[in-house]
């Protein structure tokens, strides 16, 4: 609140206003004190209006009010809040008469026609239910209450056992899930859009997550007959959309969601086109870790452990598609993970890949490995001259030439 | 009060170090290396008590002969004093700090040539080190001689603070009440005597002390800012704050008898610090509080007024806070209110009241209304109610009465009874695109009209239900109407049904209609709608109040009288009267039939910011910038006497935003920027309790129609609902802890509703106890800053 100007600035102003006549130091100090105090008083007066109008931001009009209250000439044209672009007043002085005027710009008609020109908005009123029978409905107009209110804690606990959703929400849930797994591409996209944007989903979120996790479980079971990978892909897309929704709190349901995603990522053999499914699952996995991993829940550490166990085992416990899943799961996480965990594994991996008889499989894996490793490598060693010897040392004879080739391409 | 523990502060205060200071009787060689002039002498139970007492003796010795000390030093200028200085060259400053009066008088006696002489002697003897020290000493002494003026102030206040420290815990807070006003008066004194720089040092020294900050100055932060900007004599002469602090009465302090005696001993009998005694005698008034010392918490709650607390005598006059039960309107309101809460408490209302919704009952009730009820009501006369004729109030007109009974019957019979298990629903009206443009809001009693006062001096009236805003017909058309017709009132209004068809597409808009009222030439600061929705009052920066007709949509009267911007206006509960308050430091009572002011209530030196009518229309409550609430009587005082408030309440630490009387008229509820909701008992002006819970300024407040639920809206984007009925019940049963007046929010808070980015500036219960919230949406910060930048 207290304003204090420096003597230098007052000196500058004084000289400017009095045509470069200098003031002595004493009077400057006195002036500074006076001006600081006057401004402070004016601000206090301006705050009277601020308080009266129940605002937080002081406007220039408030200051003008304070000037008027003290019988001083207000400053014209300093209005920052007017909806019209800031009006600047100009002063004309002639024969001791002062006149203020606004510059009246000529506005081109073309400019007005262009839809980008902003039209000042009028006051409008919007109505919504802030609370119904003591509870705040979860709609867009209401804030999401993360911290449970003290007085409603008891009720919430009771609700946990029998979480009842309304008829409308049941229909909403049914429609949404049906849309998500229907073959119609357009409908599905629409549904995914809803999942990624609507914050009123919180109510049925637990159901949706359960839908995904159950869906994955059923479709991964060896007994199911039809083409499972498409359904699984749709389910992963749902998960992906939910993760993109900024307004939802998925943390409480991660114990359902994450296992489902990891199953899709690491399953032995799913179907012919399983690569894209694994890619998508890896992306979801990455997002979960980015959003919810903390030092306390050790989420990242635990996930990495799972992947690392699969990759580091030398024997044939795991199939190559599973290894592929673990690999991209790791690679999607971050460059740091690639450098620290994946790099030491590459050499061994290269030796094993050479033993694969399936050409298609080995090609796919090699391609992916090279892609991720090159980018990560580039981010650390940014020098143009790649050390060939070091490359062979790090990545073995299988990958080193491929990576080197790609590095050159990246340049 | 919490002062720092002895262990932490004693190393910094070597004065209280027992080994050094007392072993030597030579005062001049008192070893100390303190740099801070502040010294808290904390009583250390064992050694320091002795220490203190002996030290006091020493000080007394010195102070007892201040005049002689002066004279001797004047006489013995020259070699005597010089040798004195040169001997104790390393310690002169420290001496000065502990015993300033003496040393300053010495230092003034050292003339320039003497100094040069000594310097020469020292240089001749090649004592380079001593030369330097001597120079430094001289310099510091010489410079300090100008600042010596402030020394008595420092010592006096330090002395008093250390005196407070010596008091036992139970009564220490009583003494510490004096610190803040003493500090302010001393600071102002210093500035007025042209010692600006020392005054700044003085200010900084005490305000930056963390102990004092947390205890003594906590309640006065707002004023401290103001004080800090007063740096020259001229500013003090102009300052409104100083006017209201110094010349608006004495600083009122309440103490218990024992403390007062001790204080008397200290200030008057001992006269250790004549400065303190002078200030206390000039500006303070001490009042004896019966019994033992008050609780520190209670005292903290009640502090905060600019001039201390309220004189108990000021709140002793009789206030008739009861309702006007004989007036038809009160009867209708009360009858229905009782009807809604008829389970249990008020069984005497008769059998029919228990099932109010059936049509048969309703008819019976209507019949009963003015016959049976009246007799019952008149049987028990409320001793606290004023006579109906005390303030003349117009009777209801017949048609009005019938209308009221009909509408209230409908609404009150369906009124929701709010209990902790049955919380109110809240419908929220968010005003968009209005931030920094909308100044104030007002909603009509029946919740159908919303008035919005804007910065650009226009007023908008919106219809909140889907009904169109009606307009009265032109006079020529009115003349043609048959006045004996039963539906005369409907016929007086224009029927725009034909227009409705063309505007069908507007139907989708929630707001069916809106009106613009133009006339003011400055921002609107207050609005008030009359109960029957005929009139709207508005007050503005242009010093005027305007009365608008909501039937013809035109301005009827402009009330002139205020000489500064008018900040608030409110209709009385029965209409007819209204009150306004302004920055010209007056509140005024008006009547819509006269253009002149009926009463002027002046408040000395403080702006009056908000006001509120008592439900019996006999009193108004105001809050002013000195943070004191005042209740004024509408009845004219005796000839020649100045209007004095009948009740005054101090306890808010920052400005008050909203005042409301409880529905039964007994309690006044106030809230504002200090986040406290304070509930006051009007019968004696005492504090009932203080509710805490909001984390920002409280802007709005309303009581449910049955008066049992309090609802507050705040700048922290929340609405809180409090069980006011339960609180009052507990208070009457004596369950409310009266000593610990702070009530934790959880005890009476029922629920919190949160908004996204809207601070609720108006909150309103409909007749059926549905909660309506109104607020202006605050755009997120980056966009506002962008707007200011462009």
């Amino acid at each position: 609140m207290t304003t204090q100007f420096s003597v230098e600035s007052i000196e500058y102003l004084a000289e400017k206003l009095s045509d470069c006549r200098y003031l002595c130091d004493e009077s400057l100090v006195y002036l500074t004190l006076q001006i600081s105090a006057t401004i402070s008083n004016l601000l206090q007066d301006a705050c009277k209006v601020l308080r009266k109008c129940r605002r937080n931001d002081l406007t220039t009009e408030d200051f003008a009010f304070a000037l008027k209250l003290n019988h001083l000439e207000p400053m014209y044209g300093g209005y920052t809040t007017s909806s019209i672009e800031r009006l600047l007043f100009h002063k004309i002085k002639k024969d001791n008469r002062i006149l203020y005027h606004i510059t009246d710009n000529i506005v081109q008609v073309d400019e007005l026609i262009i839809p980008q020109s902003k039209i000042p908005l009028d006051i409008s009123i919007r109505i919504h239910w802030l609370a119904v029978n003591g509870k705040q409905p979860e709609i867009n107009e209401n804030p999401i209450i993360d911290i449970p209110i003290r007085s409603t804690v008891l009720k919430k606990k009771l609700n946990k056992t029998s979480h009842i959703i309304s008829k409308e929400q049941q229909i909403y849930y049914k429609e949404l899930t049906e849309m998500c797994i229907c073959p119609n591409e357009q409908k599905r996209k629409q549904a995914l859009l809803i999942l990624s944007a609507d914050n009123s989903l919180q109510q049925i979120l637990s159901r949706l997550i359960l839908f995904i996790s159950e869906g994955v479980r059923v479709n991964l079971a060896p007994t199911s007959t039809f083409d499972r990978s498409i359904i699984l892909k749709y389910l992963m897309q749902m998960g992906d959309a939910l993760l993109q929704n900024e307004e939802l709190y998925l943390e409480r349901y991660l114990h359902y969601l994450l296992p489902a995603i990891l199953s899709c990522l690491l399953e032995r053999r799913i179907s012919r086109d399983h690569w894209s499914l694994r890619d998508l699952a890896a992306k979801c996995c990455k997002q979960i870790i980015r959003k919810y991993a903390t030092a306390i829940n050790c989420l990242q550490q635990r996930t990495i452990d799972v992947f690392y166990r699969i990759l580091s085992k030398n024997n044939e416990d795991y199939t190559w598609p599973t290894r592929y899943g673990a690999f991209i799961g790791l690679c999607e996480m971050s460059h740091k993970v690639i450098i620290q965990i994946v790099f030491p594994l590459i050499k061994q991996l290269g030796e094993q890949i050479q033993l694969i008889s399936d050409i298609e499989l080995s090609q796919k894996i090699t391609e992916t490995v090279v892609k991720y490793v090159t980018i990560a490598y580039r981010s650390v060693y940014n020098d143009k001259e790649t050390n060939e010897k070091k490359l062979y040392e790090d990545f073995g004879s299988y990958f080193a030439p491929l990576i080197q080739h790609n590095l050159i391409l990246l340049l | 009060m919490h002062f720092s523990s002895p262990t932490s502060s004693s190393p910094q205060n070597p004065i209280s170090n027992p080994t050094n200071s007392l072993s030597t009787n030579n005062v001049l060689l008192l070893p100390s290396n303190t740099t801070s002039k502040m010294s808290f002498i904390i009583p250390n139970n064992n050694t320091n008590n002795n220490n203190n007492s002996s030290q006091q003796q020493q000080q007394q010795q010195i102070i007892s002969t201040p005049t002689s000390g002066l004279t001797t030093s004047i006489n013995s200028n020259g070699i005597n004093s010089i040798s004195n200085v040169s001997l104790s060259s390393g310690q002169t400053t420290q001496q000065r700090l502990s015993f300033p009066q003496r040393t300053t008088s010495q230092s003034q006696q050292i003339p320039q040539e003497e100094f040069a002489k000594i310097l020469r002697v020292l240089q001749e003897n090649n004592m380079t080190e001593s030369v330097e020290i001597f120079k430094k000493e001289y310099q510091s002494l010489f410079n300090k001689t100008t600042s010596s003026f402030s020394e008595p102030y420092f010592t006096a206040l330090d002395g008093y603070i250390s005196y407070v420290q010596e008091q036992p815990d139970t009564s220490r807070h009583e003494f510490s009440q004096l610190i803040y006003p003493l500090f302010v008066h001393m600071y102002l004194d210093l500035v007025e005597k042209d010692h600006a720089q020392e005054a700044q040092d003085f200010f900084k020294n005490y305000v930056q002390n963390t102990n004092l900050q947390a205890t003594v100055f906590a309640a006065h932060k707002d004023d401290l800012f103001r004080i800090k900007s007063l740096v020259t004599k001229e500013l003090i002469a102009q300052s409104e704050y100083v006017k209201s602090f110094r010349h608006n009465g004495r600083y009122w302090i309440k103490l218990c008898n024992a403390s007062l005696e001790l204080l008397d001993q200290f200030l008057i009998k001992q006269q250790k610090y004549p400065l303190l005694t002078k200030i206390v005698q000039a500006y303070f008034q001490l009042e004896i509080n019966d019994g033992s010392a008050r609780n520190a918490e209670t005292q903290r709650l009640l502090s905060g007024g600019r001039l201390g607390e309220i004189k108990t005598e000021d709140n002793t006059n009789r206030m008739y806070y009861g309702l006007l039960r004989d007036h038809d309107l009160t009867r209708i309101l009360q009858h229905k209110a009782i009807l809604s809460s008829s389970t249990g408490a008020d069984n005497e209302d008769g059998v029919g009241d228990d099932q109010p919704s059936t049509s048969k009952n309703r008819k019976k009730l209507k019949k009963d209304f003015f016959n049976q009820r009246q007799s019952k009501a008149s049987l028990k006369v409320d001793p606290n109610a004023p006579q109906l004729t005390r303030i003349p109030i117009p009777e209801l007109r017949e048609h009005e009465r019938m209308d009221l009974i009909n509408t209230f019957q409908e609404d009150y019979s369906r009124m929701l009874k709010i209990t902790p298990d049955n919380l109110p629903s809240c419908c929220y009206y968010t005003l968009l695109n209005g931030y920094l443009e909308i100044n104030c809001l007002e909603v009509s009693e029946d919740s159908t009209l919303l008035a919005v006062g804007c910065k650009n001096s226009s007023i908008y009236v919106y219809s909140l239900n889907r009904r169109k805003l009606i307009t009265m017909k032109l006079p020529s058309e009115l003349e043609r109407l048959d006045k004996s017709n039963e539906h005369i009132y409907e016929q007086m209004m224009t029927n725009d049904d034909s227009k409705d068809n063309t505007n069908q597409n507007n139907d989708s808009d929630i707001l069916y209609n809106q009106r613009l009222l133009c006339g003011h030439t400055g921002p609107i600061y207050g609005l008030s709608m009359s109960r029957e929705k005929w009139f709207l009052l508005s007050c503005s920066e242009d010093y005027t109040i305007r009365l608008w007709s909501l039937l013809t949509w035109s301005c009827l009267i402009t009330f002139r009288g205020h000489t500064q911007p008018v900040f608030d206006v409110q209709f009385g509960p029965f209409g007819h009267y209204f009150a306004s308050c302004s920055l010209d430091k007056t509140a005024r009572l008006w009547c819509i039939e006269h253009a002149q002011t009926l009463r002027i209530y002046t408040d000395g030196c403080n702006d009056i910011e908000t006001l509120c009518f008592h439900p019996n229309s006999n009193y108004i409550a105001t809050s002013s910038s000195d943070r004191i609430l005042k209740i004024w009587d509408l009845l004219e005082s005796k000839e020649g006497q100045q209007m004095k408030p009948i009740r005054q309440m101090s306890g808010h630490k920052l400005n008050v935003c909203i005042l409301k009387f409880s529905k039964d008229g007994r309690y006044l509820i106030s809230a504002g920027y200090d986040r406290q909701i304070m509930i006051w008992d009007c019968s004696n002006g005492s504090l009932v309790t203080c509710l805490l819970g909001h984390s920002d300024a409280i802007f709005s407040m309303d009581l449910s129609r049955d008066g049992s639920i309090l609802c507050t809206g705040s700048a922290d984007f929340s609405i809180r609902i409090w069980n006011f009925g339960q609180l009052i019940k507990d208070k009457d049963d004596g369950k409310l802890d009266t000593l610990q007046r702070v009530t934790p929010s959880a005890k009476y808070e029922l629920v919190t509703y949160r908004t996204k980015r809207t601070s609720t500036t108006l909150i309103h219960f409909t007749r059926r106890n549905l909660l309506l919230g109104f607020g202006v949406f605050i755009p997120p910060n980056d966009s506002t800053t962008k707007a200011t930048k462009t």
Side-chain angles (χ1 to χ4, degrees), chain A residues 1-2 30 33-34 36-38 40-41 44 48-57 59 61-62 65 68-69 71 80-83 85-86 121-136 139-145 149-152 155 199 247, chain B residues 225-226 228-229 231-232 234-235 240 420 423-439 450 454-455 460 462 510-511 525 541 564-565 567-568 583 607 609-610 655 657 673 699 719 745-746 750-756 761 770 784 787-788 790:
Chain A
M1 267 285 269
T2 46
Y30 181 78
L33 271 181
Q34 281 289 331
S36 299
T38 313
S40 172
N41 273 338
Q44 276 166 20
K48 285 178 187 170
V49 189
L50 184 79
R51 283 196 296 262
K52 182 68 215 171
C53 302
R54 282 87 167 98
R55 280 189 262 121
N56 290 326
D57 303 341
T59 65
E61 280 97 333
D62 297 340
F65 167 87
K68 264 188 264 174
L69 210 61
H71 308 292
T80 48
T81 53
S82 71
S83 46
E85 289 268 315
R86 186 179 168 189
L121 297 165
D122 195 15
I123 296 162
S124 63
I125 303 183
R126 207 176 157 147
I127 309 175
H128 73 271
W129 285 104
L130 186 72
V132 178
N133 294 331
K135 277 192 205 104
Q136 288 193 262
I139 47 174
N140 271 328
E141 284 85 352
N142 283 339
I144 291 167
I145 297 141
I149 308 157
R150 206 183 301 122
S151 54
T152 53
K155 279 175 204 161
N199 64 359
E247 310 280 346
Chain B
F225 280 125
R226 231 161 256 154
K228 201 177 178 187
S229 68
V231 287
T232 59
E234 292 82 0
L235 285 169
E240 282 179 14
L423 293 165
S425 299
C426 178
C427 183
Y428 206 88
Y429 292 79
T430 314
L431 287 97
L432 302 167
N433 311 322
Y435 187 61
L436 304 179
E437 292 294 325
I438 292 172
N439 279 0
L450 174 72
C454 296
K455 195 167 66 178
Y460 293 94
Y462 297 96
I510 299 162
L511 295 163
Y525 290 130
E541 195 188 290
Q564 287 289 337
F567 257 19
D568 205 358
L583 289 186
D607 305 331
E609 286 166 347
T610 51
N655 297 55
C657 283
Y673 275 88
F699 289 152
I719 294 173
S745 67
L750 292 178
V751 73
T752 308
Y753 298 146
R754 286 179 195 285
T755 57
K756 245 182 178 171
T761 46
L770 172 71
T784 49
T788 47
T790 49

Side-chain angles (χ1 to χ4, degrees), chain B residues 164-225:
Chain B
V164 170
Q165 295 307 301
E166 289 163 27
Q167 302 306 320
D169 283 348
T170 47
S171 61
R172 192 184 290 152
H173 58 272
E174 296 235 305
F175 294 94
S176 66
Q177 288 181 92
L178 272 79
I179 295 176
Y180 166 74
L182 279 173
F183 164 77
V184 178
H185 280 295
M186 284 175 165
Y187 173 80
L188 294 177
D189 263 1
L190 278 173
V191 177
E192 275 188 331
K193 286 174 182 159
D194 271 331
H195 297 276
Q197 193 48 51
E198 294 127 85
Q200 287 308 310
D201 293 341
F202 184 77
F203 186 86
K204 266 183 210 147
N205 191 354
Y206 291 101
V207 170
Q208 284 171 3
N209 182 304
T210 43
N211 275 328
L212 291 177
Q213 250 176 19
T215 52
V216 186
F217 294 136
H220 304 276
K221 271 184 192 148
D222 194 33
D223 281 346
L224 282 175
F225 280 125

